[in-house]
Amino acid sequence: MAKKAVTERSRPKKQAAKKSWTDKVNDDSKVHVVKKLEVDFSDMQAGEKMLIATPKIIHDYVRAIPKGKSVSMVTMRKDLANEYRADNTCPLTSGIFLRIVAEAAHEQIEKGAPLSKVAPFWRVVDEKSPMNKKFTFGDTFVKQQRQKEGLLES
C-alpha cells in the first residue's frame, strides 16, 4: 500500500488557544469606532453617527453603575453615544459586548473573585431579558443578584 503524501492541506491545523471571556473584555486590540450611517439601521436613521463600542467600554460603563440602581440597555446606549459624541450606540454590538462582559464577570466569580470586583451586569440585564437564555451559567444568577439589590421587576 502506497503512503499518502502529507501536504499542507491534509495536515491538521493548530488551533489558537481559545480566549477566555475575561481576555475578550481586556483585548486592547479592539478600538471603538464612530461612523455615519448610510442607511436606516434598527432604531437609527441614515446620517446619524453610531458608536460601535468595545467590550472594555461596556465593562467600564457597567462597573460604574452603583449598587441598587438599574440601567436599561437603551439608556446605556444613549449614555455611551453622548460620551463618544455619537447620536446612538449600535444595538447589535452592545448586546454582544454586554454578554461578553457578563460571561467574564461570571467566569471571575467562578474563580473566586468577590462580587464587588466584577462588572455588575445584572444591573443592565434584567430577569426577563432574552439574553439570560444565552448565558452559559443560566438565568438564576441574574435573578438572585437583582433580588439582593431590590431590582426585581414586578
Side-chain angles (χ1 to χ4, degrees):
M1 192 176 251
K3 278 190 172 181
K4 210 176 187 181
V6 177
T7 64
E8 272 308 303
R9 259 188 199 178
S10 64
R11 202 174 279 150
K13 292 183 177 157
K14 289 183 182 178
Q15 290 197 345
K18 190 174 177 183
K19 281 186 175 182
S20 71
W21 294 105
T22 302
D23 291 340
K24 291 177 184 182
V25 168
N26 295 320
D27 185 351
D28 289 332
S29 72
K30 305 294 183 207
V31 295
H32 74 279
V33 175
V34 176
K35 68 181 225 173
K36 191 171 187 177
L37 291 174
E38 295 180 19
V39 295
D40 292 355
F41 175 66
S42 188
D43 58 350
M44 298 169 286
Q45 304 297 310
E48 290 184 344
K49 290 187 291 181
M50 178 181 73
L51 167 67
I52 300 174
T54 66
K56 184 70 173 146
I57 288 171
I58 301 294
H59 172 271
D60 293 346
Y61 178 90
V62 171
R63 287 278 296 154
I65 301 170
K67 187 174 184 173
K69 183 172 186 218
S70 183
V71 175
S72 73
M73 177 74 92
V74 172
T75 299
M76 179 183 77
R77 287 177 49 221
K78 287 288 185 194
D79 289 348
L80 289 172
N82 289 335
E83 184 177 340
Y84 288 87
R85 296 188 187 110
D87 299 308
N88 216 322
T89 303
C90 177
L92 180 65
T93 57
S94 294
I96 292 167
F97 297 156
L98 182 58
R99 176 170 179 220
I100 291 171
V101 168
E103 295 284 0
H106 196 266
E107 182 178 81
Q108 292 161 17
I109 291 165
E110 289 289 305
K111 290 179 179 177
L115 288 175
S116 62
K117 298 293 183 191
V118 301
F121 64 91
W122 56 89
R123 296 177 189 157
V124 180
V125 180
D126 70 49
E127 64 278 3
K128 296 174 187 170
S129 171
M131 188 178 293
N132 284 303
K133 293 177 183 165
K134 296 179 182 183
F135 291 146
T136 58
F137 51 87
D139 63 354
T140 305
F141 181 81
V142 169
K143 193 177 283 186
Q144 287 171 341
Q145 294 312 310
R146 288 183 68 82
Q147 186 171 24
K148 286 179 186 175
E149 292 191 22
L151 301 174
L152 281 181
E153 294 186 4
S154 37

